[in-house]
Amino acid sequence: MLPIVRGIGGNVVSQTVTLSTAARLSDDEKLEVLRLLDQFRQWHSLDEKRYCLVCGKLITGRQIQVAGGTRGNGPVRLNCPTQSCNSIAMDWVLPTDEILARVEKLAEEERKASALQAALPPAAANGNGKTVHSDKGHEHFVSRLRKLAFHLKRHA
């Protein structure tokens, strides 16, 4: 059992939570842990969203990972659910209209890039491990650039 303690108006409120690295909490327990451990913002629901300043993703209380606890795993902590993001509660802000517009713009750019990538002909690797594009127009353009660079270098 791990005690989580916070002071409210001079009174000490204590609750005991048992966690391991891969903790499974009920919705009520997780919401209580968010409320106790996120000292920067209030949580009214697990469906509330926060914007992670580190990875740039919108996350919900349901997605936030709760780790740590007993058995030598250290204190209970909150982590961003995005893979390879090490942010904590202080890195999460309430999403403003500006942030939501930015997130939507980035998502649209990712969709366009994915569609463009899917439309490109597949690349093949040559014997040297380098990627060779089968796009003849691209090869023609690169060839012309090389000729121009050689011409400019010769006259410099």
Side-chain angles (χ1 to χ4, degrees):
M1 300 295 239
L2 176 72
I4 297 176
V5 179
R6 83 176 156 173
I8 299 177
N11 297 325
V12 174
V13 178
S14 176
Q15 191 168 19
T16 304
V17 178
T18 301
L19 294 174
S20 65
T21 304
R24 281 286 207 207
L25 301 172
S26 71
D27 286 353
D28 289 338
E29 290 172 328
K30 186 166 189 178
L31 183 57
E32 187 60 26
V33 170
L34 283 172
R35 287 175 174 163
L36 291 170
L37 296 182
D38 187 350
Q39 60 188 346
F40 305 99
R41 282 151 210 94
Q42 293 182 353
W43 287 89
H44 302 288
S45 148
L46 291 179
D47 295 322
E48 287 184 47
K49 294 180 181 179
R50 299 292 186 267
Y51 177 74
C52 179
L53 296 170
V54 176
C55 67
K57 302 287 185 190
L58 273 179
I59 58 175
T60 67
R62 291 189 192 286
Q63 296 171 314
I64 291 172
Q65 297 170 348
V66 179
T70 59
R71 300 186 192 110
N73 292 327
V76 177
R77 60 194 178 278
L78 303 175
N79 296 325
C80 179
T82 306
Q83 187 173 2
S84 300
C85 181
N86 297 322
S87 70
I88 56 174
M90 68 183 286
D91 300 314
W92 309 328
V93 297
L94 294 169
T96 62
D97 290 339
E98 181 182 343
I99 288 173
L100 292 172
R102 178 179 168 200
V103 168
E104 182 55 38
K105 182 180 177 185
L106 290 172
E108 181 62 28
E109 288 174 4
E110 285 180 15
R111 285 191 291 270
K112 285 180 182 177
S114 294
L116 180 62
Q117 186 67 27
L120 290 175
N126 67 11
N128 298 333
K130 293 184 180 180
T131 301
V132 178
H133 295 276
S134 59
D135 183 6
K136 296 295 182 189
H138 175 75
E139 290 175 15
H140 179 67
F141 178 73
V142 171
S143 174
R144 290 178 61 194
L145 279 176
R146 283 190 187 128
K147 287 179 184 175
L148 175 63
F150 179 73
H151 176 72
L152 292 173
K153 185 177 179 181
R154 201 171 64 183
H155 292 290

